[in-house]
Structure formats: C-alpha cells, structure tokens
Amino acid sequence: MYKFNRKTPFYPQIITPHTSGISSGLAIEALVYAYKSTHSTQYLETAKYILKGFYIPIECGGFTEQNDNGWWFEEYADIN
C-alpha cells in the first residue's frame, strides 16, 4: 500500500502520511497497462503491493471501510 507524504489541498484536516483509494486504483490501472505493454513483472509486483490497501481498514492505516452496505474505498483516508 502506498502512503502519501503531502498535504491534501482540499482537506487540511487529513494528516500525513495518508492513503487514497482513488489514487491507488488509478495507479494499479496504469501499472497493468505498463505490464501489458512491456511484460515486465516489476509492474505487476508493484500493482500487487498497492492492491493491499483495498483490504486494510482505515483504522489500521488503509483506506477501506466495510459495513452493512458493502465496502467503501475512501478517496483520502487517515486514521483520524
């Protein structure tokens, strides 16, 4: 899972480092396209590393919230 060490411009209350479901999804998409173009397994390994964030709850440092309505992936997430 990737953690960002920069402040978010629209949410100053989010502390660093933080995670992001949308950024992680977009990064995985780009890495899969890179793998398809180059067949370099380095891209797939990095995508698998980032994918872990989709299974880690926010309170444990990830960006996933699971409740009765399903799974939610926060655009910006921190433990606060």
Side-chain angles (χ1 to χ4, degrees):
M1 173 179 53
Y2 185 82
K3 293 193 177 196
F4 295 90
N5 288 315
R6 61 172 169 74
K7 295 295 272 178
T8 58
F10 304 110
Y11 303 102
Q13 70 275 19
I14 294 177
I15 61 170
T16 57
H18 67 275
T19 59
S20 171
I22 194 166
S23 296
S24 294
L26 291 170
I28 290 169
E29 182 180 23
L31 290 163
V32 169
Y33 280 120
Y35 170 73
K36 287 181 177 181
S37 296
T38 66
H39 301 287
S40 172
T41 58
Q42 171 187 347
Y43 293 116
L44 282 183
E45 293 304 315
T46 304
K48 288 177 189 177
Y49 175 76
I50 295 172
L51 185 64
K52 292 177 185 180
F54 286 92
Y55 298 96
I56 300 173
I58 294 170
E59 58 271 8
C60 294
F63 49 79
T64 300
E65 172 70 29
Q66 188 178 8
N67 60 35
D68 293 338
N69 294 319
W71 292 53
W72 298 87
F73 307 111
E74 294 292 328
E75 181 175 0
Y76 298 107
D78 71 2
I79 57 173
N80 292 325

